[in-house]
Amino acid sequence: MGYNSVLSVLPDTDPGQSALSAAIEITRQADAHLDVLALGIDRTPTAHLYAGANALIQQDARNDAVQKAADISDAAKARLQAEDIRWAVDDGVVHLPLLNRFVASRARFADLVIMPQPYGEGKGAEHEAICESALFDARVPLLVCPQEFEKIDARRIVIGWNESPEALAAIRAALPVMQAADLVSIAVIDPPAHSPDRSDPGGPLSKMLARHGINAEISVLSKSMPRVSDVLMRHMSDIDAGLMVMGAYGHSRFREAILGGATRDMLQNIKQPVLFAH
């Protein structure tokens, strides 16, 4: 099993962004095909879309989105022409309220979607919407790259394991990467006393990975920091890992948005690439 089709959605004009660099690298390693969606977003307020609204406002916004998509496409093509991979760049223009459905219609045919960190300076609501669309609407694994990022180092990988279906989905999606790793650390944080695997936390998962030829070790960690994401990132630093694999949004998105959660915390604070699945 491997990645044959990789997708990166670009809502920005910066061709040197981390996500495109990572997408090129993974596409080359997997001998895959990279599809880039250059996205122009029509931000016309919904109130202007009723019958009889000013047609000039609507047309100007549409023209701006078309031009933005063209600019992103040109920049991406200029970057990709120097690369020795198979690739294609497609323009897309969409009204903001329809963004999730539009992205999902493209992403669902990919094996892996690669996006930049959706939070931080210069990031708008569309970045978060694109990531969530890949995870929830398209049901595709998502690799998120931090702002300051040069190259993926997947020789050492940490799995955030909590026995959830989301975590197992992420692990299955990451098998091609983990099979090439030197070490995979299964991080279990404060395993519950009444878990079916309480006497051997992470043991069945370790056995599964071994049958895929993956060298895995189990690290039982204490939640000695306020956030699970902080514990996982500290463990990554301790073992010099370059990639995290974890499930996304074990709770509802609404609950995560109101109360916070490991997924949102990780997306906001990642220092290394993280592969999510839901």
Side-chain angles (χ1 to χ4, degrees):
M1 180 173 62
Y3 307 126
N4 295 317
S5 181
V6 177
L7 172 69
S8 187
V9 182
L10 302 183
D12 305 310
T13 54
D14 179 11
Q17 65 174 293
S18 61
L20 186 54
S21 298
I24 291 169
E25 181 184 350
I26 287 179
T27 300
R28 181 181 293 113
Q29 292 176 356
D31 191 23
H33 187 284
L34 173 61
D35 289 302
V36 174
L37 177 58
L39 198 58
I41 300 175
D42 181 352
R43 301 178 187 276
T44 309
T46 306
H48 287 294
L49 299 181
Y50 60 83
N54 191 320
L56 290 178
I57 294 177
Q58 297 181 39
Q59 189 59 51
D60 285 347
R62 187 72 177 180
N63 290 343
D64 288 345
V66 170
Q67 185 59 54
K68 179 72 177 292
D71 292 342
I72 297 171
S73 176
D74 290 343
K77 289 175 181 176
R79 169 74 185 278
L80 289 165
Q81 283 171 354
E83 303 293 340
D84 58 342
I85 61 172
R86 299 187 298 276
W87 57 270
V89 177
D90 189 20
D91 297 7
V93 176
V94 61
H95 190 235
L96 186 57
L98 302 176
L99 177 61
N100 285 61
R101 182 182 301 176
F102 182 81
V103 171
S105 69
R106 306 296 183 93
R108 62 181 179 148
F109 297 108
D111 297 318
L112 180 69
V113 174
I114 301 177
M115 289 297 299
Q117 188 175 4
Y119 304 111
E121 185 178 354
K123 298 300 174 67
E126 67 273 13
H127 290 82
E128 183 180 27
I130 291 169
C131 289
E132 290 197 345
S133 178
L135 286 170
F136 289 96
D137 302 314
R139 299 282 177 163
V140 177
L142 173 71
L143 180 68
V144 179
C145 301
Q147 300 281 44
E148 301 299 327
F149 170 79
E150 295 180 358
K151 186 177 182 180
I152 294 179
D153 182 358
R155 289 174 296 177
R156 289 174 172 262
I157 298 172
V158 170
I159 295 172
W161 178 236
N162 60 0
E163 302 183 15
S164 69
E166 293 82 10
L168 194 55
I171 290 163
R172 288 197 169 106
L175 284 175
V177 178
M178 292 192 293
Q179 286 169 336
D182 296 333
L183 174 67
V184 174
S185 175
I186 302 170
V188 184
I189 301 175
D190 286 346
H194 302 291
S195 165
D197 300 331
R198 60 188 178 275
S199 62
D200 184 19
L205 174 60
S206 177
K207 184 185 296 184
M208 167 192 156
L209 295 178
R211 290 174 178 173
H212 284 275
I214 295 168
N215 177 28
E217 64 178 25
I218 300 169
S219 299
V220 179
L221 309 174
S222 173
K223 191 172 182 280
S224 56
M225 305 174 77
R227 300 181 299 191
V228 168
S229 60
D230 291 333
V231 176
L232 291 173
M233 285 189 288
R234 184 178 63 182
H235 183 57
M236 289 187 72
S237 178
D238 288 344
I239 69 169
D240 195 25
L243 178 68
M244 167 70 69
V245 175
M246 63 182 292
Y249 295 101
H251 304 294
S252 71
R253 279 179 287 179
F254 177 77
R255 183 179 184 277
E256 292 265 355
I258 299 301
L259 302 178
T263 306
R264 182 173 293 273
D265 290 340
M266 188 66 75
L267 284 171
Q268 290 175 332
N269 300 294
I270 56 174
K271 301 296 189 293
Q272 299 289 351
V274 182
L275 193 150
F276 292 100
H278 180 75

